[in-house]
Structures are given as structure tokens and as C-alpha cells.
């Protein structure tokens, strides 16, 4: 089966690429501003289904989560450290290579602590805790 991008599914649309390159990102336990910061960092490196949409707070009292899907075809470029107001829980799910590349982008911008990993036949799920890089410097340059 061939999938040819059409005007309704442009090349930048992550749904038009092989699933091995897709990583679903779920952010939780964080502020709207911090969720937007993380997605902005990821969009700087990888095409996303989110476009430039910023997360929005709803009126629900239950904890909010934000999701995005990213097409990760290679290693990210360099990034500067980014400040966060508080910790962010990030769940990454996708092909092992794509998840590793997306994690590299997060590690370049934030301090990343692994929480857990679940491996399947062709997918991996990783939970990370992100905190802001100290004083906006890249995490390795402190």
C-alpha cells in the first residue's frame, strides 16, 4: 500500500509518514505554560500534529494532560537549556529509535530523569520527569 501526500495531508503532517517515526507525547502534572514550553522545544526539531497550537486550560477540576504527535526522522540539532516553572511528567510512546531521538531533544533542553520504561514488540513507552535547565544554560554546561 502506498501513501502519497495529497493537499489534505501535506508532507509536514506526521500522519503521512511511517509509524516507526511517530512518537506520541503526553504531558501531565504541569502548568499550561510549562506544557507549551515543552511542545515549543519539540516543534523546533520535529514536525507535529499540534501546529502552533498552545495548550489551553479547561474549566475541569481534574488534572489536565496535553498530547502531541511528532514525526522523528533523525537526531535533533543542538538546543539551549530552557527554564520551566515546575516539573513536567512526559510519557513518550513510539518506535525505539524515534523515542530515543525525541528524548535527545528533551535532554538538550531540560534536565531529564527517567521514571520508567515498558518495551513491547515494536514500540517502547518511556516516562520522564523534566525540570528546567539551571539559569537557562544547556544541562551539560552548568
Amino acid at each position: 500500500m502506498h501513501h502519497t501526500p495529497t493537499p489534505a495531508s501535506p508532507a509536514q503532517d506526521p500522519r503521512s509518514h511511517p509509524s516507526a517515526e511517530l512518537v506520541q507525547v503526553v504531558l501531565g502534572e504541569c502548568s499550561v505554560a510549562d506544557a507549551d514550553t515543552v511542545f515549543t522545544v519539540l516543534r523546533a526539531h520535529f514536525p507535529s500534529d499540534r501546529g502552533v497550537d498552545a495548550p489551553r486550560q479547561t474549566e475541569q477540576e481534574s488534572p489536565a494532560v496535553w498530547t502531541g504527535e511528532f514525526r522523528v526522522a533523525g537526531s535533533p540539532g543542538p538546543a539551549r537549556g530552557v527554564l520551566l516553572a515546575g516539573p513536567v511528567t512526559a510519557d513518550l510512546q513510539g518506535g525505539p529509535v524515534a523515542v530515543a531521538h525525541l528524548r535527545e531533544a528533551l535532554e538538550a533542553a531540560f534536565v531529564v530523569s527517567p521514571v520508567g520504561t515498558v518495551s513491547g514488540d515494536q514500540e517502547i513507552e518511556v516516562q520522564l520527569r523534566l525540570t528546567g535547565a539551571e539559569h537557562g544554560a544547556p544541562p551539560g554546561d552548568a
Side-chain angles (χ1 to χ4, degrees):
M1 181 170 124
H2 284 269
H3 178 78
T4 304
T6 64
S9 63
Q12 289 294 341
D13 186 340
R15 293 169 290 208
S16 67
H17 295 280
S19 62
E21 295 179 348
L22 293 179
V23 177
Q24 181 174 2
V25 178
V26 178
L27 303 178
E29 301 178 21
C30 64
S31 69
V32 173
D34 283 347
D36 184 46
T37 297
V38 173
F39 283 135
T40 298
V41 165
L42 292 176
R43 280 193 314 267
H45 296 287
F46 311 112
S48 172
D49 67 341
R50 293 194 61 85
V52 293
D53 289 343
R56 291 180 288 279
Q57 184 66 48
T58 64
E59 294 183 22
Q60 296 176 346
E61 301 223 0
S62 61
V65 297
W66 294 275
T67 63
E69 195 169 81
F70 295 85
R71 184 177 59 84
V72 182
S75 293
R80 295 223 12 106
V82 178
L83 296 173
L84 294 170
V88 175
T89 299
D91 291 303
L92 316 178
Q93 182 177 5
V97 173
V99 167
H101 289 316
L102 191 132
R103 184 174 175 169
E104 288 174 26
L106 293 173
E107 289 173 338
F110 307 103
V111 175
V112 176
S113 303
V115 176
T117 302
V118 176
S119 296
D121 274 350
Q122 299 175 10
E123 282 195 342
I124 186 170
E125 185 173 340
V126 177
Q127 186 173 74
L128 306 171
R129 181 176 170 90
L130 312 177
T131 53
E134 197 170 324
H135 307 296
D141 291 357

